[in-house]
Amino acid sequence: MDISILSIFPRMFDALNESVIGKAQEKGLLNLQVIDFRDFTTNKQHHVDDTPYGGGAGMLLQAQPIYDAMSYLETENPGKKRVVLLDPAGKTFDTKMAQSFAKEEQLVFICGHYEGFDERIKDLVTDEVSIGDYILTGGELPTMSMIDATMRFVPGVLGNNFSAEEESFSHGLLEYPQYTRPADFRGKEVPEVLTSGNHEKIRIWRLKESLRKTLIRRPDLLETIDLTKEEEKLLREIRSEM
């Protein structure tokens, strides 16, 4: 997968050279390119922003540097691209979007700063995306979050191919509690079913605890899931226990 990032703070993305994403680059599973669109300004001061027409507080990113950076990117790496604009008013990023991004051959992220963008920049993009109902100083941190979440669904990135499928939100439910050695830590014991060796009982326990956690912490998620008959039965049991 090829991922290109347009930002005026390219060094922030050095963090993506570490851990799982760094290893994905070493394996050739990810080709990451960070472009400083300040390099494409045409004014002597290398400004990428200006005051908004009609007045108002703050500064807006100008269209010209980003348009020219995108033209450069197309020359260097031609082909169909999915272009993501980081925008607080955009669609909220989630697991389904990460899975969709992971199927693309080329992704481009445009990171904003200041008070926003010249509206004409949006003519370049395919997706306007937010990571939540709050404002950050720029799009760099959200971009890193989305790249990390997306790459987990690219085959070969995770050591265990089932990891991304079993974690929270992958099936609409929060992940069940997990434990490792020792079985008894300062009087706090691992649930007996997990040491029983009975895989069917373990499966049912995990599913029930996943449903329990979702019901307690994110009941809104249950409204969007088509539960199986087994899940409906377990959910009734949980509610009767509460």
Side-chain angles (χ1 to χ4, degrees):
M1 170 182 280
D2 292 336
I3 295 182
S4 301
I5 303 166
L6 273 59
S7 168
I8 55 173
F9 297 103
R11 287 186 298 175
M12 290 185 69
F13 294 95
D14 289 348
L16 294 179
N17 295 324
E18 304 294 334
S19 189
V20 173
I21 307 305
K23 290 178 181 178
Q25 294 183 70
E26 293 174 2
K27 294 177 182 178
L29 298 172
L30 170 62
N31 178 34
L32 185 66
Q33 179 183 22
V34 185
I35 297 172
D36 186 346
F37 60 83
R38 193 184 295 278
D39 294 340
F40 294 86
T41 58
T42 56
N43 59 77
K44 294 181 180 179
Q45 295 78 21
H46 292 286
H47 290 164
V48 294
D49 62 322
D50 209 334
T51 56
Y53 278 116
M59 307 287 279
L60 298 179
L61 286 175
Q62 296 172 302
Q64 176 270 317
I66 293 177
Y67 266 76
D68 286 355
M70 288 294 294
S71 295
Y72 165 81
L73 180 59
E74 182 58 34
T75 300
E76 291 293 305
N77 196 10
K80 184 179 179 181
K81 298 173 177 60
R82 190 164 181 178
V83 182
V84 181
L85 179 69
L86 280 296
D87 188 338
K91 184 177 180 181
T92 303
F93 182 75
D94 58 14
T95 294
K96 289 183 179 180
M97 194 180 296
Q99 292 171 325
S100 177
F101 283 175
K103 297 175 183 178
E104 302 292 336
E105 292 186 6
Q106 294 191 47
L107 281 175
V108 180
F109 292 89
I110 302 177
C111 303
H113 243 78
Y114 312 114
E115 290 299 315
F117 299 88
D118 184 304
E119 188 70 15
R120 291 165 289 191
I121 291 171
K122 294 182 179 180
D123 291 339
L124 297 170
V125 310
T126 58
D127 300 81
E128 296 174 39
V129 183
S130 166
I131 61 166
D133 295 333
Y134 51 90
I135 307 296
L136 297 176
T137 56
E140 285 75 16
L141 292 176
T143 293
M144 284 189 270
S145 295
M146 286 191 279
I147 290 173
D148 188 281
T150 296
M151 290 304 300
R152 296 177 66 80
F153 292 103
V154 174
V157 170
L158 295 182
N160 183 346
N161 291 330
F162 298 102
S163 294
E165 297 178 5
E166 293 185 355
E167 291 177 347
S168 294
F169 302 113
S170 293
H171 298 293
L173 299 174
L174 300 185
E175 190 177 17
Y176 49 80
Q178 298 196 72
Y179 303 83
T180 188
R181 294 182 177 85
D184 186 334
F185 175 69
R186 299 180 182 178
K188 298 179 181 180
E189 297 182 357
V190 172
E192 185 177 349
V193 64
L194 297 179
T195 60
S196 67
N198 188 317
H199 296 294
E200 177 61 11
K201 286 185 177 180
I202 292 172
R203 183 193 69 81
I204 293 173
W205 181 89
R206 285 176 168 172
L207 178 57
K208 187 172 183 179
E209 292 307 308
S210 183
L211 286 162
R212 188 192 309 277
K213 182 186 287 188
T214 304
L215 178 62
I216 294 172
R217 299 187 182 182
R218 290 292 305 277
D220 57 297
L221 294 177
L222 294 173
E223 299 175 5
T224 64
I225 302 171
D226 292 327
L227 297 176
T228 65
K229 290 184 178 180
E230 179 185 38
E231 290 168 340
E232 290 176 349
K233 177 178 178 294
L234 291 173
L235 195 56
R236 287 195 297 270
E237 292 179 7
I238 294 166
R239 285 185 167 126
S240 68
E241 296 166 1
M242 296 176 68

